[in-house]
Amino acid sequence: MYARRRRVYFLLMGGCLFLFVSAWTFVRLLSVEAAVALCVVAMVIPLVAAMVANRRGPEDRWWDDPSGDQKSDEWWDELDGKRRHED
């Protein structure tokens, strides 16, 4: 799952770079407005790429999932304020 997300991330970032470079290399000769529009689209792509790369998959373990170690889970719950530690 991680490899697929990484591949999609690099494809999106490669597309962003292609749009930006082509906008100011070729498209500006035809239309400056179109080149600016391509740059605006290229500006949004890194945001989408970051969301894709950081999306949680169904089999991914997340930071707040229990680890299975009861003592460690209790310690983290106490630090997060989920449960009060009774002395």
Side-chain angles (χ1 to χ4, degrees):
M1 190 59 134
Y2 175 72
R4 183 173 61 98
R5 286 194 318 241
R6 188 177 57 204
R7 190 176 322 119
V8 171
Y9 174 79
F10 283 119
L11 283 173
L12 284 169
M13 292 305 290
C16 173
L17 187 61
F18 173 77
L19 283 175
F20 185 75
V21 170
S22 67
W24 295 111
T25 305
F26 309 113
V27 179
R28 73 173 170 87
L29 300 174
L30 302 172
S31 170
V32 174
E33 292 83 8
V36 171
L38 284 177
C39 285
V40 169
V41 171
M43 181 179 66
V44 174
I45 291 176
L47 302 173
V48 174
M51 286 186 258
V52 167
N54 292 316
R55 185 179 59 209
R56 178 182 175 187
E59 68 277 353
D60 291 342
R61 188 180 180 293
W62 206 242
W63 65 274
D64 60 350
D65 285 345
S67 66
D69 180 17
Q70 185 176 1
K71 188 165 186 88
S72 174
D73 291 338
E74 288 174 3
W75 184 75
W76 281 109
D77 286 344
E78 180 184 340
L79 283 178
D80 292 337
K82 293 182 182 178
R83 202 175 334 154
R84 291 282 181 193
H85 179 69
E86 290 91 26
D87 287 326

